[in-house]
Amino acid sequence: MIYEIPLNYGNQKFNIKLGATQYKLQLIYRVSRWYLDIFGTAENPLIAGLPMVAGDNLLAQHQHIIKGSLYMLNANEDESQNFSDLGVNIKLYWSDS
């Protein structure tokens, strides 16, 4: 099953349950791209500075940390990323299978 992670406008940090585990996600726009940081519940960093790239499982190289898949979908035709795109043209999806 694939679930959309609700995103708001702009930089953000929020708690979310992925699979059976609670995490804190932080999304930050730097230069011309969105980046994802993932923290444990005590805000200990697990994965930092993960570039949001469309089409690839963002967690492919991090299965030893988090089992599951995160995918970013970019509706911009040229796949550009802007600060105002998050939650509108840029969406994030989770799958635990």
Side-chain angles (χ1 to χ4, degrees), residues 13-52:
K13 191 175 195 178
F14 56 90
N15 294 317
I16 188 165
K17 190 172 185 179
L18 301 176
T21 307
Q22 191 76 23
Y23 297 98
K24 185 166 279 191
L25 301 186
Q26 177 174 269
L27 292 116
I28 297 179
Y29 188 77
R30 297 180 187 125
V31 185
S32 61
R33 174 175 300 278
W34 282 98
Y35 290 88
L36 173 65
D37 300 323
I38 302 175
F39 301 89
T41 52
E43 294 215 23
N44 54 316
L46 301 174
I47 301 170
L50 192 61
M52 299 274 285

Side-chain angles (χ1 to χ4, degrees), residues 35-97:
Y35 290 88
L36 173 65
D37 300 323
I38 302 175
F39 301 89
T41 52
E43 294 215 23
N44 54 316
L46 301 174
I47 301 170
L50 192 61
M52 299 274 285
V53 177
D56 293 330
N57 176 5
L58 301 176
L59 298 177
Q61 297 180 349
H62 304 284
Q63 291 299 298
H64 61 288
I65 299 171
I66 301 173
K67 299 284 186 212
S69 304
L70 277 176
Y71 294 96
M72 188 267 282
L73 176 67
N74 187 344
N76 291 318
E77 287 185 19
D78 62 357
E79 294 190 14
S80 65
Q81 296 184 17
N82 296 302
F83 183 78
S84 60
D85 285 336
L86 198 63
V88 178
N89 291 327
I90 294 177
K91 307 242 180 191
L92 190 59
Y93 296 91
W94 163 257
S95 174
D96 52 10
S97 56

